Amino acid sequence: WDIPANLVEGLTEVQNPDGEFHGPVSLRSAFANDYLIPAIHTLSQMNPDQVWHTARQMGINNLQVPEGDGGLLMPVEGGKADLLEISQAYGVFASQGNLAGISKDEDLPQDSIIPVTPQVVLKILDRIGNEQLDCTENITDCRSIKRPVITPQLAYLITDVLSDETARWPSLGHPNPLEIGRPTAAKIGYTSSREDAWTVGYTPGLVVSVWIGTEESGLEIRNSPDWAAGLWRAVIQYAMKDQPIEEFITPVGISEIQVCNPSGLLPTEECPHLVDEVFASGNEPTQTDNLFQTFLVNRESGRLATIFTSPVLIDEETYMIIPPEAEDWAREADIPKVPDAYDVVVSEQISSLNSSITSPNMFDTVKGSLPIIGRAAGADFEFYRLQYGSGLNPNSWLQIGKDVNEPVRNGQLGVWDTSDLSGLYALQLIVSYADGTVESATIQVTIDNQKPHVNIQYPGEDDIFSFSEEEEFTILVEANDDLEMSVVEIFIDGNLVASLKNPPYAFPWNMRIGEHILRVKAIDRAGNVSDDNIRVVVEE
């Protein structure tokens, strides 16, 4: 959610480059257009230390992370890094996850990773043209190495976003300097003061990086990111003018499916915008979109329709589901909110003292074998009947059990087996008297017998961590339900450590040496429970 948020103590507001907030956005859109709050939220979920550790593995060894928050506000406050190292890191994306460069001559422990620095000098010729060094041919003499640091699939996902021209149109417009007539993945950036601006981009065979700025602070020089982008465009077009057009290669293990935008979940009839999205195989969504849902509304009262609403007044309305933290944004953006009140029960439909259902309650979410508690009695009592129908105004009714000839006063009227049902239902009690009169009581319930889906996304089964390298990692949980989640509980070695009521379901854990069992429980509103557990090892 790209909404105003108090992200860190002392920082009350972060502004996007366009000065606007955009509500629910896909990571693709947020990444391509520099929406900062989604970036900071993602950093927080993933643990900043892990993110910057990965950056260093990709060659950005001199990155200076601002103190105080572990780098959580790096997208806002920035951190100093060498442009040559930035270029090397983007080369990892361009070469399908491989870091290339030269190894340093250092005495390192046997199990250490050899540092790889950018290979600046490719060839040396003397004054009469004799070749003294050629790193394009004899890579051994140059100590050139190449090693994988991220998977080809992850590198491709980043490339696919950075080369998506339409994704960056909201911020850069169309046409813009990053469109050069051939497949190119690119990113622009600038400091909040506009003293520095840069553009980094690559084709399948070349990375070009441009920086415009000054090393002296306080000069109040404002550099437009368009200048850096324009210079980048000129350089890369000149460098590629005699080269054939190449497409980025899609590695094995990438799938493309149609999803609902911006949630990235599987489409529903309510979804207003469908897009094709790429995923690393095995990470495709399994849940249908829950951002947009349809409700039945009384068009006159504006309230949610109930069994007491006249059918001629009921309209179907599709709403964006707004979490509590986004309500202020939705109000500012004039996004209609789902009515929070049900239609009024008119007085003549209120059940009498002799015919009433006291459990379940009106609008309860229920499951399984359901005891029905209430009252069916009174003078001249003859029999009572329980029945149910699908929807707000059932066209037909199915009887629960048989007619009962014995009155019940504040007791069990019957048992309703709902195990094969799902959705909105009306439950009705009919009481018949010897004089021919009939009384009824009707309530509305939602039946949910489907367990929620839950999966520990990170860490993985039998992952091994080194306590000396990282003292904390973030447990990431995917949990969803066909109707409504209630809570996700996280246990470590049988001890409850977190109860999370709203996504994202993430919990930073200060690891301890030893073997540990991580278990998560997902509980929906009806009380259905699913769990998942894995084993992890923390070595000294």
Side-chain angles (χ1 to χ4, degrees):
W1 282 87
D2 182 30
I3 55 176
N6 187 4
L7 299 166
V8 177
E9 184 176 353
L11 182 69
T12 57
E13 186 171 315
V14 173
Q15 284 290 338
N16 287 319
D18 62 2
E20 302 288 337
F21 295 102
H22 308 88
V25 294
S26 67
L27 284 179
R28 176 182 293 272
S29 178
F31 186 14
N33 296 286
D34 289 323
Y35 299 156
L36 297 178
I37 288 178
I40 296 172
H41 277 307
T42 304
L43 264 180
S44 176
Q45 294 166 29
M46 297 304 298
N47 185 347
D49 288 340
Q50 293 180 8
V51 175
W52 305 127
H53 175 71
T54 301
R56 285 188 287 273
Q57 287 183 319
M58 295 177 66
I60 310 179
N61 295 303
N62 295 318
L63 181 68
Q64 299 179 19
V65 179
E67 297 180 359
D69 56 36
L72 182 60
L73 292 182
M74 183 82 84
V76 179
E77 297 180 346
K80 294 182 179 180
D82 186 287
L83 185 64
L84 193 58
E85 291 182 336
I86 295 290
S87 306
Q88 186 185 31
Y90 273 77
V92 172
F93 299 134
S95 60
Q96 295 194 321
N98 293 296
L99 176 68
I102 58 175
S103 60
K104 292 183 178 179
D105 288 329
E106 295 182 2
D107 293 328
L108 297 171
Q110 188 173 1
D111 59 349
S112 296
I113 298 176
I114 301 173
V116 178
T117 58
Q119 186 164 306
V120 181
V121 178
L122 297 180
K123 182 180 291 188
I124 298 176
L125 304 177
D126 63 19
R127 60 187 299 176
I128 59 175
N130 294 320
E131 185 180 283
Q132 302 297 320
L133 180 70
D134 186 359
C135 291
T136 62
E137 298 291 339
N138 192 351
I139 61 175
T140 303
D141 292 345
C142 302
R143 305 192 314 280
S144 299
I145 63 173
K146 179 183 287 188
R147 68 163 179 257
V149 293
I150 60 175
T151 66
Q153 292 77 23
L154 178 56
Y156 179 80
L157 293 180
I158 300 298
T159 295
D160 192 68
V161 173
L162 292 181
S163 61
D164 188 341
E165 294 184 350
T166 58
R168 52 183 179 243
W169 286 355
S171 59
L172 298 184
H174 173 65
N176 60 71
L178 301 187
E179 299 172 359
I180 66 170
R182 66 168 64 224
T184 312
K187 195 81 181 71
I188 66 170
Y190 50 89
T191 53
S192 57
S193 65
R194 302 294 178 96
E195 292 182 2
D196 302 87
W198 61 90
T199 297
V200 185
Y202 54 93
T203 66
L206 178 70
V207 178
V208 172
S209 303
V210 168
W211 168 75
I212 295 178
T214 175
E215 294 185 358
E216 296 184 39
S217 60
L219 297 182
E220 297 184 358
I221 297 176
R222 295 178 64 85
N223 291 294
S224 169
D226 290 341
W227 301 348
L231 181 55
W232 172 88
R233 175 189 176 96
V235 172
I236 198 167
Q237 283 191 318
Y238 181 80
M240 302 298 296
K241 65 179 181 178
D242 297 324
Q243 302 297 317
I245 293 178
E246 294 182 78
E247 300 285 342
F248 290 108
I249 298 174
T250 305
V252 175
I254 291 292
S255 62
E256 181 175 309
I257 64 173
Q258 192 174 69
V259 299
C260 183
N261 188 52
S263 72
L265 300 176
L266 297 176
T268 64
E269 292 183 358
E270 292 84 3
C271 179
H273 188 202
L274 303 181
V275 297
D276 292 327
E277 187 56 271
V278 294
F279 296 89
S281 297
N283 290 276
E284 300 89 346
T286 58
Q287 179 193 2
T288 55
D289 178 73
N290 54 14
L291 183 60
F292 296 95
Q293 296 182 25
T294 295
F295 294 84
L296 300 177
V297 178
N298 183 327
R299 77 170 70 94
E300 290 189 352
S301 69
R303 295 171 177 246
L304 292 174
T306 68
I307 53 176
F308 308 110
T309 307
S310 171
V312 299
L313 298 178
I314 297 177
D315 286 339
E316 285 192 358
E317 300 286 349
T318 299
Y319 292 88
M320 179 189 293
I321 306 304
I322 308 295
E325 64 271 19
E327 288 182 355
D328 290 343
W329 166 83
R331 194 161 38 249
E332 291 277 337
D334 292 326
I335 304 296
K337 182 182 177 183
V338 178
D340 55 7
Y342 288 94
D343 217 10
V344 176
V345 179
V346 295
S347 58
E348 59 265 26
Q349 291 174 312
I350 298 177
S351 57
S352 73
L353 294 177
N354 288 323
S355 58
S356 63
I357 299 174
T358 56
S359 178
N361 294 315
M362 178 73 83
F363 310 130
D364 270 359
T365 300
V366 299
K367 65 171 184 172
S369 184
L370 181 67
I372 302 170
I373 310 300
R375 180 181 177 89
D380 296 325
F381 170 86
E382 188 173 23
F383 71 90
Y384 73 83
R385 175 183 302 165
L386 290 169
Q387 59 186 22
Y388 69 92
S390 176
L392 285 181
N393 292 280
N395 294 320
S396 60
W397 296 86
L398 297 175
Q399 186 167 339
I400 302 171
K402 298 180 180 180
D403 292 347
V404 180
N405 301 110
E406 294 294 328
V408 174
R409 296 174 178 83
N410 301 321
Q412 182 169 296
L413 299 169
V415 177
W416 182 18
D417 182 6
T418 71
S419 56
D420 293 329
L421 305 177
S422 179
L424 192 64
Y425 283 82
L427 172 63
Q428 189 173 66
L429 166 67
I430 295 177
V431 182
S432 179
Y433 298 93
D435 62 1
T437 60
V438 174
E439 290 186 358
S440 66
T442 308
I443 66 169
Q444 176 184 323
V445 296
T446 299
I447 299 176
D448 180 9
N449 286 296
Q450 182 173 319
K451 291 183 177 182
H453 165 78
V454 64
N455 175 55
I456 300 175
Q457 292 183 301
Y458 184 84
E461 177 69 41
D462 292 328
D463 274 0
I464 299 176
F465 295 88
S466 174
F467 185 78
S468 60
E469 290 182 3
E470 298 178 64
E471 296 184 357
E472 178 181 277
F473 65 76
T474 300
I475 300 170
L476 298 177
V477 178
E478 178 191 20
N480 48 67
D481 186 63
D482 60 328
L483 292 177
E484 184 176 351
M485 284 292 301
S486 176
V487 66
V488 170
E489 297 177 338
I490 300 178
F491 298 81
I492 298 178
D493 298 329
N495 299 313
L496 178 65
V497 296
S499 294
L500 308 172
K501 293 188 176 181
N502 297 300
Y505 303 112
F507 176 72
W509 179 52
N510 292 314
M511 65 177 68
R512 302 187 304 274
I513 295 173
E515 179 181 311
H516 303 281
I517 300 298
L518 306 185
R519 178 175 176 241
V520 297
K521 287 174 57 179
I523 306 171
D524 67 15
R525 186 176 175 183
N528 298 301
V529 179
S530 295
D531 64 0
D532 186 25
N533 62 83
I534 61 170
R535 169 185 173 271
V536 296
V537 176
V538 180
E539 295 181 341
E540 187 171 1

